[in-house]
């Protein structure tokens, strides 16, 4: 079964809002064993929407449309879809009562419902209605004359996601007799080309399951996907491949759970070995601490942090010597080493993470170019400093340094304890 996603809204087309709905639905369809072949965004224009829908229904079994179901004049998705499918329109009694109840709950009374709101309870003939318990516009399925089906969903994610889970998933599960089972192997400290080279033999001979690489800043994700009759059968196909990937990449694999981030895996590791940590940042200016503090439960292991941007701060709080700064400079392996060891002395933590670098775009020299970053970590008295030459603008360099600092420290911990 194939699907096509159409997002309706001039605000999406113009880049005013990020289209999170398409990403969410595409991922959900994969889990249901439904292949997505096309995605498209169209503005609030009935003629262009008609052309888009007509084309989509001729090449996909399912056409899933988000947005344009509201009460305003430019909300014409439902009317246009009905026209494409050759359907008339009628009032849905339950949708009407739910609209009345919605306004009553707001304390406004049904008498205050404006004429344009009433259009939300008009649905195409022969459609299956998905009632909206989090808003006013119902979703629906409209059968096209050629056997394709158009599924219309409200645009706000707070309405779309609950409707998807409670109404759309059961509906689609009854249509499709295959499922996709997937696991994501997340790898740090390696580039996409290096990862692909290491598994080229697996990629060249893959049938079911398949391996798809995705590059992210400082990470590479390998999604292993199998098609099967049941989730249990899919798992039996996927897990041997996952185990082989873990064997090949070793400690570079920081999780095989889709929802787990690098920083969450790092904090889990600290909890596992009952370690505390502190941070001292120069070029990242608090980004490292901020990213780690986003993790629930980090308060159990995070001691404290410093932003030692000036040389004076490095000397005052971390004990970096004036001689080191004079001879090697603040952006140096020697400085990062003293920062890490001084941080341990200052905070009593088990683990220290420090960053020192040139975020750019200016400030470089003939030997130290913008993007040069030194990351130091000290784990139970063992100090490691790594040099990185990052590229991109100031924001990209700083964020890249944060990712590498977390990954490097994770590896240092594993070398000492695993």
């Amino acid at each position: 079964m194939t699907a096509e996603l159409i997002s309706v809204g001039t605000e999406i087309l113009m880049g005013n809002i990020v289209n999170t709905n398409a990403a969410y639905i595409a991922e959900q369809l994969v889990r249901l064993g439904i292949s997505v072949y096309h995605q498209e965004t169209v503005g609030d224009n009935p003629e262009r929407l008609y052309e888009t829908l007509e084309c989509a229904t001729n090449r996909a079994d399912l056409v899933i449309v988000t947005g344009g179901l509201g009460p305003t004049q430019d909300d014409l998705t439902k009317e246009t879809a009905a026209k494409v499918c050759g359907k008339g329109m009628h009032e849905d009694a339950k949708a009407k009562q739910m609209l009345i109840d919605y306004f009553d709950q707001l304390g406004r009374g049904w008498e205050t419902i404006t004429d344009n709101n009433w259009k939300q309870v008009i649905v195409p003939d022969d459609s299956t209605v998905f009632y909206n318990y989090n808003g006013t516009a119902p979703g629906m399925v409209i059968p096209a004359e050629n056997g394709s089906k158009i599924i219309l969903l409200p645009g706000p994610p707070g309405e779309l996601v609950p409707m998807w889970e409670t109404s759309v998933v059961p509906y689609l599960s009854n249509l499709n007799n295959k499922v996709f089972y997937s696991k994501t192997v997340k790898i740090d400290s390696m580039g996409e080309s290096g990862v692909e080279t290491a598994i080229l033999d697996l990629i060249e001979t893959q049938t079911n399951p398949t391996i798809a690489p995705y590059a992210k800043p400082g990470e590479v994700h390998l999604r292993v996907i199998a098609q099967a009759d049941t989730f249990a059968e899919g798992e039996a196909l996927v897990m041997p491949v996952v185990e082989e990937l873990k064997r090949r990449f070793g400690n570079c694999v920081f999780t095989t759970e889709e929802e787990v981030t690098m920083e969450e895996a790092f904090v889990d590791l600290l909890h596992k070995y009952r370690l505390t940590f502190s941070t001292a940042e120069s070029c990242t200016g608090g980004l490292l601490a901020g990213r780690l503090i986003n993790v629930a439960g980090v308060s159990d292991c995070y001691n404290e942090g410093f932003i030692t941007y000036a040389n004076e701060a490095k000397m005052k709080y971390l004990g970096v010597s004036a001689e080191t700064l004079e001879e090697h400079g603040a952006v140096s392996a020697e400085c990062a080493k003293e920062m890490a060891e001084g941080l341990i002395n200052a905070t009593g933590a088990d683990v220290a993470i420090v960053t020192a670098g040139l975020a750019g775009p200016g400030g470089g020299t003939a030997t130290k170019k913008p993007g040069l970053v030194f990351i130091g970590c000290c784990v139970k008295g063992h100090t490691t400093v790594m040099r990185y030459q990052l590229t991109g603008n100031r924001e990209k360099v700083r964020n890249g340094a944060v990712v590498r600092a977390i990954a490097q420290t994770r590896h240092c911990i594993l070398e000492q304890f695993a």
Side-chain angles (χ1 to χ4, degrees):
M1 183 177 292
T2 63
E4 182 159 342
L5 308 185
I6 299 174
S7 305
V8 179
T10 302
E11 69 279 9
I12 300 174
L13 194 64
M14 302 300 292
N16 299 127
I17 63 172
V18 177
N19 187 3
T20 58
N21 287 339
Y24 171 79
I25 293 173
E27 184 176 24
Q28 293 297 312
L29 288 172
V30 167
R31 294 179 180 179
L32 292 169
I34 299 172
S35 301
V36 180
Y37 283 180
H38 298 89
Q39 292 190 25
E40 191 162 354
T41 301
V42 60
D44 299 303
N45 181 285
E47 289 78 19
R48 289 194 289 272
L49 178 56
Y50 184 94
E51 294 174 1
T52 303
L53 286 170
E54 188 176 44
C55 178
T57 54
N58 285 325
R59 65 187 182 188
D61 302 311
L62 294 172
V63 180
I64 302 177
V65 188
T66 60
L69 299 181
T72 60
Q73 290 185 350
D74 62 352
D75 288 318
L76 297 170
T77 297
K78 177 175 52 183
E79 294 79 0
T80 306
K83 186 177 178 181
V84 169
C85 296
K87 304 295 183 183
M89 307 280 283
H90 68 276
E91 181 179 277
D92 185 273
K94 183 174 179 178
K96 181 178 181 179
Q97 186 59 52
M98 289 181 67
L99 184 66
I100 293 171
D101 294 342
Y102 181 85
F103 274 80
D104 283 341
Q105 290 170 6
L106 293 176
R108 294 165 59 181
W110 71 268
E111 301 89 349
T112 64
I113 301 176
T114 56
D115 290 341
N116 56 358
N117 268 300
W118 287 118
K119 88 183 191 75
Q120 294 177 102
V121 307
I122 306 299
V123 301
D125 297 339
D126 302 321
S127 62
T128 301
V129 180
F130 298 146
Y131 296 102
N132 190 344
Y133 295 92
N134 297 277
T136 57
M140 62 207 67
V141 184
I142 312 171
E145 294 177 349
N146 64 357
S148 179
K149 293 177 173 58
I150 299 179
I151 300 179
L152 306 183
L153 300 172
E159 299 176 31
L160 181 146
V161 173
M163 185 178 292
W164 180 272
E165 294 174 348
T166 60
S167 299
V168 183
V169 169
Y171 177 85
L172 294 179
S173 297
N174 290 329
L175 296 181
N176 194 33
N177 59 359
K178 293 289 185 180
V179 299
F180 279 156
Y181 182 89
S182 70
K183 272 285 190 181
T184 301
V185 178
K186 298 184 179 181
I187 299 164
D188 66 23
S189 306
M190 292 185 69
E192 185 179 18
S193 59
V195 169
E196 185 180 52
T197 299
I199 59 169
L200 201 57
D201 60 316
L202 299 178
I203 293 175
E204 289 177 344
T205 58
Q206 65 186 358
T207 52
N208 186 35
T210 59
I211 305 172
Y214 302 89
K216 296 188 67 177
E219 307 174 27
V220 178
H221 295 182
L222 298 175
R223 178 166 288 174
V224 186
I225 307 174
Q227 187 179 44
D229 292 327
T230 66
F231 283 107
E233 291 178 11
E235 183 179 21
L237 291 169
V238 165
M239 291 314 296
V241 178
V242 170
E243 291 304 317
E244 174 61 17
L245 294 174
K246 289 167 65 176
R247 185 190 70 79
R248 293 192 184 195
F249 294 107
N251 287 342
C252 289
V253 176
F254 63 88
T255 186
T256 58
E257 299 300 325
E258 179 66 37
E259 298 80 11
V260 175
T261 64
M262 183 187 291
E263 52 268 33
E264 288 172 336
F266 176 73
V267 171
D268 286 344
L269 190 67
L270 292 167
H271 285 153
K272 178 180 179 179
Y273 295 114
R274 298 182 178 180
L275 300 173
T276 60
F277 78 102
S278 294
T279 57
E281 304 176 61
S282 182
C283 62
T284 51
L287 281 179
L288 173 61
R291 183 159 173 174
L292 291 168
I293 287 172
N294 278 336
V295 179
V298 73
S299 58
D300 295 333
C301 52
Y302 187 40
N303 279 13
E304 55 190 304
F306 297 91
I307 299 176
T308 54
Y309 208 73
N311 286 351
E312 291 77 7
K314 294 179 178 67
M315 292 188 287
K316 179 179 179 181
Y317 297 108
L318 305 177
V320 176
S321 69
E323 292 77 14
T324 296
L325 293 169
E326 177 67 27
E327 183 177 353
H328 302 286
V331 182
S332 65
E334 291 79 5
C335 179
K337 182 176 186 294
E338 290 189 18
M339 287 174 67
E341 293 171 352
L343 183 60
I344 292 291
N345 293 332
T347 65
D350 300 311
V351 177
I353 319 173
V354 304
T355 63
L358 294 168
T365 67
T367 57
K368 296 180 180 179
K369 300 184 183 301
L372 175 63
V373 176
F374 290 92
I375 294 170
C377 59
C378 184
V379 180
K380 289 289 188 177
H382 179 78
T383 306
T384 301
V385 178
M386 297 288 291
R387 181 186 190 275
Y388 301 90
Q389 185 64 56
L390 307 180
T391 59
N393 60 22
R394 187 176 181 86
E395 180 183 10
K396 187 176 179 181
V397 168
R398 295 175 71 224
N399 281 298
V402 167
V403 172
R404 285 160 179 81
I406 296 172
Q408 178 182 319
T409 308
R410 191 182 73 83
H411 282 265
C412 290
I413 292 171
L414 289 172
E415 288 170 6
Q416 294 296 308
F417 292 92

